[in-house]
Amino acid sequence: MPLDLRDARTLVTGASSGIGAATAEAFARRGSHLALMARREDRLAEVADRCIAAGAPDVQIVPADLADLDPLEQILDSTIDHMGGLDVLVNNAGTPMRRAVTALTPAEVERTMAVNYFAPVRLSLRALGGMLERGHGCIVNVSSVGGRIPILGEAAYCGSKAALCGFTETLAAELLGTGVEARLVLPGPVDTEIWEQPGQDDPFYDGELEPPSLVAEGIVAAVEGERIEHWLPDLEPVAQIKYSDLDGFIAGMAAAATDRHADAPKRPGTGDAAR
């Protein structure tokens, strides 16, 4: 049963910028009570002010680093107590990891999994009990097209997002008929700070970027609607090509990588001219 978002108690992670901030404001315009979770408390305060102006009855700021898993359940419990319950959990927070597999370290993979997979799983499992007791609620897990379509140079990121896809689909199946819903959101390339994080390789993708508002409104529509999976924008046809011929798709990716390297400007002293 789709939720009425007016007065719905809603927690959004990664709410200090990008998709999370836009999502918080979208829920505020529906009249939801909000809790905003992210690391940067000053940025959360700015988003909270915009949410109040947009129509949220109240906004709670929840500073937390989702890479630090151990305190998450306690932080969530305290947040839920303050709100008097939780109707909607939007697991939006995510971290990039652009590193070729030949240079990728286990520590980089594990931190990516902590933020992109283990944190939303922990929050989902913790929130689930109260939702089941009340017989209603919605858990939205924001994955990525990278969870369905491999992206060159992003094996750790794609692996974490693929894991979140599998968890959410199984969650949806097991919750069917309980009154608690699960939603899976798959954003494509969106204009957020994820492209500018330090310590990352250059992204393979260099095309147009969608505004965060596209995904934010899609998340709200997902909670208000009945479908489980939502591509924003709709890149599902690309995934269907992959599913129809994986070997061919992988070969095409490898060729694209070769072409990209061939087109890249050479540093002085490299290439054929230096031999």
Side-chain angles (χ1 to χ4, degrees):
M1 185 77 172
L3 285 171
D4 180 358
L5 295 183
R6 178 162 296 282
D7 292 326
R9 297 159 297 186
T10 302
L11 168 64
V12 181
T13 72
S16 61
S17 65
I19 293 171
T23 298
E25 292 181 62
F27 276 98
R29 288 191 289 272
R30 268 69 169 185
S32 297
H33 303 267
L34 290 169
L36 310 180
M37 182 183 290
R39 289 180 295 111
R40 297 173 294 185
E41 189 169 359
D42 56 335
R43 297 283 293 273
L44 286 176
E46 295 172 4
V47 177
D49 288 343
R50 297 202 298 270
C51 288
I52 291 293
D58 53 79
V59 182
Q60 178 184 358
I61 291 174
V62 187
D65 182 354
L66 274 77
D68 186 6
L69 297 173
D70 289 339
L72 282 184
E73 285 94 343
Q74 183 177 353
I75 292 171
L76 181 61
D77 287 347
S78 176
T79 303
I80 292 174
D81 286 346
H82 186 271
M83 299 181 82
L86 187 64
D87 302 304
V88 181
L89 170 63
V90 181
N91 286 309
N92 160 76
T95 187
M97 178 42 63
R98 293 190 296 273
R99 188 85 71 240
V101 292
T102 51
L104 192 62
T105 68
E108 288 171 331
V109 175
E110 288 162 11
R111 187 183 188 284
T112 306
M113 288 295 292
V115 176
N116 294 354
Y117 179 66
F118 291 122
V121 168
R122 284 202 182 200
L123 293 174
S124 297
L125 296 178
R126 194 69 167 193
L128 190 56
M131 290 181 176
L132 288 171
E133 285 180 10
R134 292 188 300 274
H136 77 276
C138 187
I139 296 172
V140 182
N141 287 328
V142 181
S143 179
S144 165
V145 296
R148 301 287 199 209
I149 303 168
I151 304 170
L152 290 166
E154 300 193 34
Y157 179 79
C158 290
S160 68
K161 292 299 190 176
L164 190 58
C165 287
F167 174 79
T168 309
E169 289 172 343
T170 306
L171 184 68
E174 294 190 15
L175 293 178
L176 199 62
T178 65
V180 181
E181 308 279 349
R183 299 288 182 262
L184 177 62
V185 174
L186 302 161
V190 178
D191 189 8
T192 71
E193 295 175 1
I194 201 169
W195 304 95
E196 303 165 0
Q197 296 298 310
Q200 305 283 319
D201 292 347
D202 291 336
F204 185 81
Y205 179 80
D206 60 359
E208 295 294 321
L209 300 176
E210 300 288 348
S213 59
L214 173 78
V215 182
E217 291 298 330
I219 289 171
V220 170
V223 176
E224 293 177 326
E226 297 183 351
R227 290 190 300 111
I228 295 168
E229 185 177 82
H230 300 261
W231 296 72
L232 300 163
D234 185 7
L235 295 175
E236 187 174 9
V238 181
Q240 295 299 336
I241 294 171
K242 184 199 81 168
Y243 297 145
S244 67
D245 180 11
L246 180 59
D247 290 345
F249 191 89
I250 296 299
M253 288 179 60
T258 300
D259 291 344
R260 171 68 68 88
H261 292 315
D263 292 340
K266 292 182 172 61
R267 299 189 303 275
T270 66
D272 294 337
R275 291 177 184 168

